[in-house]
Short mmCIF file of all heavy atoms in Angstrom, two decimals:
data_model
loop_
_atom_site.label_atom_id
_atom_site.label_comp_id
_atom_site.label_asym_id
_atom_site.label_seq_id
_atom_site.Cartn_x
_atom_site.Cartn_y
_atom_site.Cartn_z
N ARG A 398 -45.68 11.77 -6.89
CA ARG A 398 -45.22 10.36 -6.71
C ARG A 398 -43.72 10.16 -7.00
O ARG A 398 -43.02 9.43 -6.38
CB ARG A 398 -46.07 9.66 -7.75
CG ARG A 398 -45.79 8.18 -7.84
CD ARG A 398 -46.59 7.48 -8.88
NE ARG A 398 -46.48 6.09 -8.77
CZ ARG A 398 -47.45 5.16 -8.32
NH1 ARG A 398 -48.60 5.61 -8.16
NH2 ARG A 398 -47.08 3.91 -8.24
N SER A 399 -43.22 10.92 -7.86
CA SER A 399 -41.73 10.72 -8.33
C SER A 399 -40.83 11.90 -7.95
O SER A 399 -39.82 11.90 -8.40
CB SER A 399 -41.65 10.60 -9.88
OG SER A 399 -42.72 9.64 -10.27
N LEU A 400 -41.31 12.68 -7.08
CA LEU A 400 -40.54 13.76 -6.62
C LEU A 400 -39.39 13.36 -5.76
O LEU A 400 -39.60 12.49 -4.75
CB LEU A 400 -41.38 14.79 -5.79
CG LEU A 400 -40.73 16.12 -5.35
CD1 LEU A 400 -40.25 16.99 -6.60
CD2 LEU A 400 -41.80 16.96 -4.50
N VAL A 401 -38.15 13.85 -5.96
CA VAL A 401 -37.03 13.51 -5.15
C VAL A 401 -36.38 14.90 -4.80
O VAL A 401 -36.16 15.67 -5.69
CB VAL A 401 -36.10 12.53 -5.89
CG1 VAL A 401 -34.70 12.44 -5.10
CG2 VAL A 401 -36.68 11.21 -5.98
N SER A 402 -35.77 15.02 -3.61
CA SER A 402 -35.03 16.28 -3.29
C SER A 402 -34.03 16.00 -2.39
O SER A 402 -34.13 15.31 -1.37
CB SER A 402 -35.97 17.33 -2.75
OG SER A 402 -35.25 18.42 -2.25
N CYS A 403 -32.81 16.56 -2.59
CA CYS A 403 -31.69 16.52 -1.57
C CYS A 403 -32.06 17.51 -0.52
O CYS A 403 -33.06 18.14 -0.38
CB CYS A 403 -30.42 16.98 -2.35
SG CYS A 403 -30.20 18.82 -2.33
N THR A 404 -31.26 17.58 0.51
CA THR A 404 -31.38 18.40 1.74
C THR A 404 -31.60 19.80 1.43
O THR A 404 -32.57 20.43 2.06
CB THR A 404 -30.07 18.08 2.69
OG1 THR A 404 -29.91 16.73 2.78
CG2 THR A 404 -30.33 18.75 4.00
N GLY A 405 -30.64 20.47 0.75
CA GLY A 405 -30.79 21.89 0.37
C GLY A 405 -30.48 22.79 1.69
O GLY A 405 -29.90 22.32 2.68
N ALA A 406 -30.66 24.04 1.41
CA ALA A 406 -30.18 25.07 2.39
C ALA A 406 -30.70 25.02 3.77
O ALA A 406 -30.09 25.54 4.77
CB ALA A 406 -30.59 26.51 1.78
N GLN A 407 -31.77 24.34 4.04
CA GLN A 407 -32.18 24.15 5.43
C GLN A 407 -31.18 23.62 6.40
O GLN A 407 -31.02 24.14 7.45
CB GLN A 407 -33.57 23.27 5.45
CG GLN A 407 -34.27 23.30 6.82
CD GLN A 407 -35.39 22.37 6.79
OE1 GLN A 407 -35.67 21.55 5.95
NE2 GLN A 407 -36.16 22.39 7.94
N PHE A 408 -30.34 22.65 5.88
CA PHE A 408 -29.32 22.03 6.69
C PHE A 408 -27.91 21.92 5.99
O PHE A 408 -26.99 21.49 6.70
CB PHE A 408 -29.84 20.63 7.16
CG PHE A 408 -31.07 20.58 7.97
CD1 PHE A 408 -32.24 20.03 7.43
CD2 PHE A 408 -31.02 21.02 9.39
CE1 PHE A 408 -33.39 20.04 8.17
CE2 PHE A 408 -32.21 21.04 9.98
CZ PHE A 408 -33.39 20.60 9.49
N CYS A 409 -27.90 22.07 4.77
CA CYS A 409 -26.68 21.80 4.08
C CYS A 409 -25.87 23.12 3.65
O CYS A 409 -26.44 23.95 2.96
CB CYS A 409 -26.90 20.97 2.76
SG CYS A 409 -25.34 20.58 1.90
N ASN A 410 -24.67 23.24 4.09
CA ASN A 410 -23.93 24.58 3.90
C ASN A 410 -23.47 24.57 2.34
O ASN A 410 -22.97 25.70 2.03
CB ASN A 410 -22.86 24.70 4.84
CG ASN A 410 -21.84 23.58 4.84
OD1 ASN A 410 -22.32 22.41 5.03
ND2 ASN A 410 -20.61 23.88 4.70
N PHE A 411 -23.37 23.54 1.68
CA PHE A 411 -23.07 23.62 0.26
C PHE A 411 -24.26 24.07 -0.60
O PHE A 411 -24.01 24.56 -1.76
CB PHE A 411 -22.67 22.25 -0.32
CG PHE A 411 -21.38 21.75 0.17
CD1 PHE A 411 -21.32 20.48 0.77
CD2 PHE A 411 -20.18 22.38 -0.18
CE1 PHE A 411 -20.04 19.97 1.18
CE2 PHE A 411 -18.98 21.92 0.16
CZ PHE A 411 -18.97 20.72 0.87
N ALA A 412 -25.49 24.20 0.06
CA ALA A 412 -26.57 24.43 -0.86
C ALA A 412 -26.64 25.92 -1.40
O ALA A 412 -26.23 26.92 -0.71
CB ALA A 412 -27.78 24.22 0.05
N LEU A 413 -27.03 26.08 -2.54
CA LEU A 413 -27.23 27.42 -3.15
C LEU A 413 -28.63 27.72 -3.12
O LEU A 413 -29.00 28.98 -3.33
CB LEU A 413 -26.68 27.42 -4.60
CG LEU A 413 -25.19 27.06 -4.77
CD1 LEU A 413 -24.84 26.85 -6.26
CD2 LEU A 413 -24.27 28.15 -4.16
N ILE A 414 -29.49 26.85 -2.90
CA ILE A 414 -30.91 27.19 -2.78
C ILE A 414 -31.66 26.23 -1.71
O ILE A 414 -31.20 25.23 -1.26
CB ILE A 414 -31.76 26.94 -4.10
CG1 ILE A 414 -31.62 25.48 -4.50
CG2 ILE A 414 -31.20 27.84 -5.16
CD1 ILE A 414 -32.64 25.17 -5.73
N GLU A 415 -32.82 26.58 -1.38
CA GLU A 415 -33.77 25.84 -0.45
C GLU A 415 -34.31 24.87 -1.47
O GLU A 415 -34.67 25.24 -2.65
CB GLU A 415 -34.83 26.82 0.11
CG GLU A 415 -35.37 26.34 1.44
CD GLU A 415 -36.26 24.97 1.26
OE1 GLU A 415 -37.28 25.00 0.41
OE2 GLU A 415 -36.08 24.01 2.00
N THR A 416 -34.46 23.57 -1.13
CA THR A 416 -34.99 22.57 -2.00
C THR A 416 -36.24 21.87 -1.56
O THR A 416 -37.37 22.09 -2.18
CB THR A 416 -33.92 21.45 -2.24
OG1 THR A 416 -33.54 21.08 -0.95
CG2 THR A 416 -32.76 22.01 -3.06
N LYS A 417 -36.22 21.20 -0.45
CA LYS A 417 -37.39 20.33 -0.10
C LYS A 417 -38.73 20.97 -0.04
O LYS A 417 -39.70 20.58 -0.73
CB LYS A 417 -37.14 19.54 1.22
CG LYS A 417 -36.01 18.49 1.03
CD LYS A 417 -36.05 17.42 2.11
CE LYS A 417 -34.92 16.51 2.18
NZ LYS A 417 -35.16 15.07 1.78
N ASN A 418 -38.87 22.07 0.63
CA ASN A 418 -40.18 22.73 0.81
C ASN A 418 -40.62 23.39 -0.55
O ASN A 418 -41.73 23.33 -0.88
CB ASN A 418 -40.08 23.77 1.88
CG ASN A 418 -40.09 23.10 3.33
OD1 ASN A 418 -40.89 22.15 3.46
ND2 ASN A 418 -39.40 23.70 4.22
N ARG A 419 -39.58 23.96 -1.15
CA ARG A 419 -39.87 24.61 -2.48
C ARG A 419 -40.40 23.56 -3.48
O ARG A 419 -41.37 23.63 -4.17
CB ARG A 419 -38.67 25.29 -2.96
CG ARG A 419 -38.77 25.85 -4.29
CD ARG A 419 -37.60 26.61 -4.80
NE ARG A 419 -37.51 28.00 -4.32
CZ ARG A 419 -36.42 28.62 -3.83
NH1 ARG A 419 -35.43 28.02 -3.71
NH2 ARG A 419 -36.58 29.83 -3.49
N ALA A 420 -39.66 22.37 -3.48
CA ALA A 420 -40.10 21.30 -4.35
C ALA A 420 -41.50 20.87 -4.21
O ALA A 420 -42.35 20.79 -5.09
CB ALA A 420 -39.10 20.13 -4.12
N LEU A 421 -41.82 20.74 -2.83
CA LEU A 421 -43.25 20.42 -2.44
C LEU A 421 -44.23 21.46 -3.00
O LEU A 421 -45.36 21.15 -3.51
CB LEU A 421 -43.47 20.14 -1.07
CG LEU A 421 -42.79 18.70 -0.53
CD1 LEU A 421 -42.79 18.80 0.95
CD2 LEU A 421 -43.56 17.66 -1.18
N GLY A 422 -43.88 22.74 -2.73
CA GLY A 422 -44.86 23.81 -3.03
C GLY A 422 -45.13 23.84 -4.56
O GLY A 422 -46.27 23.97 -5.07
N ILE A 423 -44.03 23.79 -5.33
CA ILE A 423 -44.19 23.96 -6.82
C ILE A 423 -44.96 22.67 -7.38
O ILE A 423 -45.75 22.84 -8.23
CB ILE A 423 -42.74 24.07 -7.43
CG1 ILE A 423 -42.21 25.51 -7.12
CG2 ILE A 423 -42.89 23.92 -9.03
CD1 ILE A 423 -40.99 25.86 -7.85
N ILE A 424 -44.76 21.54 -6.83
CA ILE A 424 -45.36 20.30 -7.35
C ILE A 424 -46.88 20.45 -7.06
O ILE A 424 -47.72 20.10 -7.88
CB ILE A 424 -44.73 19.05 -6.68
CG1 ILE A 424 -43.44 18.70 -7.23
CG2 ILE A 424 -45.76 17.88 -6.83
CD1 ILE A 424 -43.37 18.29 -8.63
N LYS A 425 -47.21 20.89 -5.89
CA LYS A 425 -48.65 21.10 -5.54
C LYS A 425 -49.26 22.13 -6.54
O LYS A 425 -50.41 21.78 -7.00
CB LYS A 425 -48.69 21.60 -4.14
CG LYS A 425 -49.92 21.34 -3.45
CD LYS A 425 -49.77 21.56 -1.98
CE LYS A 425 -51.26 21.67 -1.36
NZ LYS A 425 -51.39 22.57 -0.28
N ALA A 426 -48.64 23.15 -6.80
CA ALA A 426 -49.15 24.15 -7.69
C ALA A 426 -49.35 23.57 -9.11
O ALA A 426 -50.36 23.79 -9.67
CB ALA A 426 -48.33 25.40 -7.73
#
Side-chain angles (χ1 to χ4, degrees):
R398 184 178 184 115
S399 310
L400 183 64
V401 168
S402 173
C403 85
T404 307
Q407 190 183 5
F408 298 109
C409 179
N410 57 305
F411 285 122
L413 299 170
I414 64 168
E415 207 292 305
T416 50
K417 288 201 187 247
N418 283 324
R419 175 175 274 139
L421 286 171
I423 290 189
I424 288 291
K425 205 166 159 212

